[in-house]
Amino acid sequence: MRDAPRTFDSVLLELIWTRLISIVDEAAAALVRTSFSTIVRESHDFACVLTDARGHSLVQATDGVPSFLCTVPRTIGHFLQEFPPETLEEGDVLITNDIWLGTGHLPDITVAKPIFLDGRLLGFAGSVAHAPDIGGRIRTAESREVFEEGLQIPVMKVVCGGVMDDTFLRFFRKNTRMPDQTLGDLQAQFTALDLMERRLRGVLTEHGLASLEELADEIHSRSERATRAAIRAVPDGTYHAEVLTDGLEQPIRLQLALRKQGDSIHADYAGTDPQVPRGINVCLAYTLAYTSFAVKAALCPEVPNNEGAFRPISVSAPLGCILNSTPPAAGANRALTGHFIPPMILQALASALPDQVIAGTGSPLWSLNFAGTRPDGTPIANQFFMNGGYGASAGRDGPNVLSWPSNVSAAPVEMIEQGYPFRIRHRRLRKGTGGEGRHRGGTGQEWAFESRSATPVAVTFMAERTKPEAAAPGLAGGRPGTPGAVLIDGVPVDPKRQHILQPGSVVELRTPGGGGHGDPARRAPEWVARDREDGLLKETQP
């Protein structure tokens, strides 16, 4: 095998780059096909990543969840601190779900496999996936510390030289309500790692490359240059934003100073409220991921997601604030806070780039979590996602019921009713909830879950923007979207608390609408007529 070239012409680089994308996308497809839970199989709450031997991200699967941007490579960096390259061998798989070494909450299990060629460490195949259950309390904002939230997996070898750690498997099964599904998903992650390993070896052998180093450096440098060029187009300055979330007994304040200087951007979250003794705290890796996602989405969405693209973006947050939590802070529902980060970034950039950002969205992502028993007495638990309306922009209406800033999907009604003790009475658009504007905000949705269980079921929710002051804001004169609501048997309930659903009871989740953009008086009459024809307006509206 000849030595790897130190430079790559555009044709060769494009060929290899396309092959790398196909590797992680094929691995993602294999993970979906072999997974057991609806969270992975239907909602696609996972990511597949290839890194170089340093743990620097090279390529990520096309539909990877944005909250996993930057997190898998950082976790691999922690793996390398615990297991230096000389302690790794072919067939090893490393694992953790540590909040502060991973993605910010325990259900996300990160695994990585070192890839060797002729005895030399090439890089890592990495994957993270949201487990259907991790023990502890069902996912809830009521958790006061991480020890309540489930099984904590330290950095360890779950597979050593190709041999599975049987003690880990036995311990893991004992600590989950859904051991078959949870272990099935974990094995599906291993399948994805094996596929990435084989395919990467094949590509390097085919192109006569002995390592990934020069290739990674080329990809990183090109992505970094493209990102820096996009940042330079933004006027220098410090741009501010502030958000009040629903919070707990009191709203929670998030503050941002976005400093753009030359070809770099720094997000400073000083002034943000301290962490709280509830499960809505955010670790710094999650804050970095969603900051990077929002900056790239606004300025250079076409640049690939890899180490180089994120080098011009940096983040700081006071240690112990709700966006940079410290142990043993709970973080099961960290999205209820962290999903406000991208809207804050866009709010800050609105004055500099008014035509490139959207109004507020009906996020954070909503979900219903439950735990109960099957007719035979065995435990059952799962989580079902749902979305609000998207924010309008200067050029178009906000799409209805669109996931953002996460991109997970809602499970089909048929899958929910077939496998779980619920009947879906309705799933429909929530009329009139998009904020008015020259361009209308996206409409939210309404779900009604009827319990068909013969025994009580514990339910918790991920739900935000349920108070008027936290509604998705409009932009450039647009109106805010309609806040959301959670009801049990027709009575509004606190979505931050656990509730017991009696047999036959009905849970209704009404997700928020997105904010409008521009003066509502400038909306074209034919657009209003189209909205009415499409059933997006309340019957009482003119």
Side-chain angles (χ1 to χ4, degrees), residues 45-56:
D45 194 349
F46 69 91
C48 292
V49 180
L50 279 172
T51 79
D52 62 19
R54 299 162 292 189
H56 295 165

Side-chain angles (χ1 to χ4, degrees), residues 309-365:
F310 302 127
R311 285 174 180 163
I313 305 166
S314 58
V315 166
S316 64
L319 190 64
C321 81
I322 202 167
L323 294 180
N324 186 7
S325 66
T326 59
N333 282 3
R334 81 243 194 269
L336 292 180
T337 304
H339 278 190
F340 282 100
I341 292 172
M344 287 178 67
I345 297 289
L346 298 188
Q347 179 185 335
L349 288 172
S351 58
L353 306 169
D355 294 334
Q356 289 182 230
V357 300
I358 60 173
T361 60
S363 60
L365 179 72

Side-chain angles (χ1 to χ4, degrees), residues 35-375:
S35 62
F36 282 52
S37 75
T38 58
I39 293 180
V40 174
R41 190 178 65 249
E42 303 294 343
S43 297
H44 293 192
D45 194 349
F46 69 91
C48 292
V49 180
L50 279 172
T51 79
D52 62 19
R54 299 162 292 189
H56 295 165
S57 171
L58 192 62
V59 61
Q60 178 167 332
T62 303
D63 30 349
V65 177
S67 63
F68 300 149
L69 286 175
C70 316
T71 62
V72 174
R74 286 169 64 95
T75 303
I76 291 174
H78 293 300
F79 287 160
L80 284 169
Q81 291 179 15
E82 187 79 18
F83 295 97
E86 61 270 18
T87 68
L88 299 173
E89 61 178 312
E90 192 166 329
D92 286 351
V93 177
L94 305 171
I95 189 170
T96 191
N97 70 341
D98 186 294
I99 283 182
W100 295 274
L101 306 182
T103 74
H105 74 171
L106 299 181
D108 288 340
I109 299 176
T110 302
V111 293
K113 185 175 189 178
I115 303 174
F116 293 88
L117 184 62
D118 298 330
R120 179 178 181 178
L121 179 63
L122 293 175
F124 291 86
S127 171
V128 57
H130 186 130
D133 183 68
I134 199 65
R137 302 184 67 167
I138 60 172
R139 190 175 178 187
T140 174
E142 285 192 294
S143 299
R144 301 187 66 86
E145 55 184 8
V146 66
F147 303 110
E148 300 179 38
E149 296 184 322
L151 176 66
Q152 298 184 69
I153 306 170
V155 171
M156 61 177 291
K157 289 187 180 181
V158 66
V159 181
C160 187
V163 179
M164 180 73 72
D165 186 328
D166 184 62
T167 301
F168 170 84
L169 292 181
R170 293 170 60 198
F171 194 86
F172 192 68
R173 289 187 64 90
K174 191 68 172 179
N175 281 274
T176 60
R177 298 176 180 87
M178 307 281 288
D180 291 338
Q181 282 198 21
T182 305
L183 280 174
D185 282 1
L186 185 59
Q187 292 287 355
Q189 288 182 263
F190 295 162
T191 297
L193 300 184
D194 292 345
L195 190 151
M196 286 187 276
E197 177 187 38
R198 294 195 306 272
R199 295 290 189 264
L200 181 63
R201 283 176 176 169
V203 168
L204 295 188
T205 300
E206 180 180 335
H207 289 279
L209 301 176
S211 77
L212 275 175
E213 292 175 10
E214 288 83 2
L215 176 63
D217 289 343
E218 183 72 18
I219 290 172
H220 292 157
S221 63
R222 288 181 180 235
S223 299
E224 182 177 356
R225 289 197 300 270
T227 302
R228 291 192 184 280
I231 292 174
R232 277 196 296 270
V234 180
D236 284 353
T238 300
Y239 305 96
H240 295 273
E242 180 177 292
V243 166
L244 282 178
T245 76
D246 286 352
L248 302 165
E249 290 77 13
Q250 299 294 328
I252 290 174
R253 185 182 306 274
L254 310 179
Q255 290 191 330
L256 166 67
L258 194 67
R259 299 190 180 96
K260 186 274 177 183
Q261 183 66 41
D263 61 1
S264 63
I265 280 182
H266 179 74
D268 181 2
Y269 294 98
T272 291
D273 283 352
Q275 65 188 48
V276 295
R278 294 292 188 275
I280 58 173
N281 300 293
V282 179
C283 74
L284 190 61
Y286 196 81
T287 298
L288 173 62
Y290 267 125
T291 300
S292 301
F293 163 70
V295 170
K296 277 192 77 275
L299 304 183
C300 48
E302 72 287 349
V303 176
N305 294 322
N306 59 57
E307 170 78 14
F310 302 127
R311 285 174 180 163
I313 305 166
S314 58
V315 166
S316 64
L319 190 64
C321 81
I322 202 167
L323 294 180
N324 186 7
S325 66
T326 59
N333 282 3
R334 81 243 194 269
L336 292 180
T337 304
H339 278 190
F340 282 100
I341 292 172
M344 287 178 67
I345 297 289
L346 298 188
Q347 179 185 335
L349 288 172
S351 58
L353 306 169
D355 294 334
Q356 289 182 230
V357 300
I358 60 173
T361 60
S363 60
L365 179 72
W366 279 43
S367 73
L368 179 147
N369 316 275
F370 83 94
T373 56
R374 299 182 187 275

